[in-house]
Amino acid sequence: MVASRLVEVTLVRTWSPAEPQANAGYRLIFAMALDAHGVPDVQALLAGAEPWPARLETPDAPPILGDVAHDEEGWVLRFPQQGDSLDEAPLHRILGTGGWLRPGEVVTIRRPDGAESAWRIVAVG
């Protein structure tokens, strides 16, 4: 896969009435290749030699490095816990990914514990 085909997607956690202050500073940044229709390209992921990087930024903590993966249920972000490999990392499932790579769109991420949160796409480039 040609690296120039990768785009960087940046999401910020949206405001929640349950956590009015807790969302500030949460960012997800990951790279993906897009197909001719502008949607994430599964074939490019499978054909690539390098993993597509992902990073979770939280307030007052160093970034957590991970990657983008795809399984039978769709796209996921994997962030290993201390000492774990990426293959053992819990899955953060990206829900509703049909044509969602546009700034301003809201994406739901389901954490490994089943809790869901909304993230706004702020940049694709």
Side-chain angles (χ1 to χ4, degrees):
M1 183 182 70
V2 178
S4 63
R5 291 185 56 207
L6 290 179
V7 296
E8 185 174 87
V9 181
T10 303
L11 295 89
V12 295
R13 195 152 161 208
T14 61
W15 182 86
S16 163
E19 302 176 280
Q21 299 301 319
N23 296 331
Y26 283 81
R27 273 188 189 283
L28 282 169
I29 302 165
F30 54 90
M32 292 186 123
L34 304 180
D35 67 13
H37 303 287
V39 296
D41 189 346
V42 175
Q43 295 307 316
L45 177 68
L46 298 174
E50 297 292 321
W52 295 353
R55 183 173 73 244
L56 173 61
E57 298 177 354
T58 61
D60 304 322
I64 302 169
L65 303 179
D67 75 347
V68 178
H70 190 273
D71 64 16
E72 63 279 351
E73 295 180 45
W75 293 99
V76 295
L77 302 172
R78 301 185 302 179
F79 297 104
Q81 297 177 352
Q82 193 169 14
D84 289 342
S85 72
L86 278 171
D87 291 332
E88 300 168 319
L91 304 179
H92 297 254
R93 187 149 310 275
I94 303 171
L95 304 175
T97 56
W100 54 264
L101 283 175
R102 292 182 300 244
E105 296 291 323
V106 175
V107 176
T108 300
I109 306 286
R110 181 181 303 136
R111 295 189 317 242
D113 65 5
E116 295 180 355
S117 57
W119 297 76
R120 181 171 306 282
I121 299 173
V122 295
V124 177

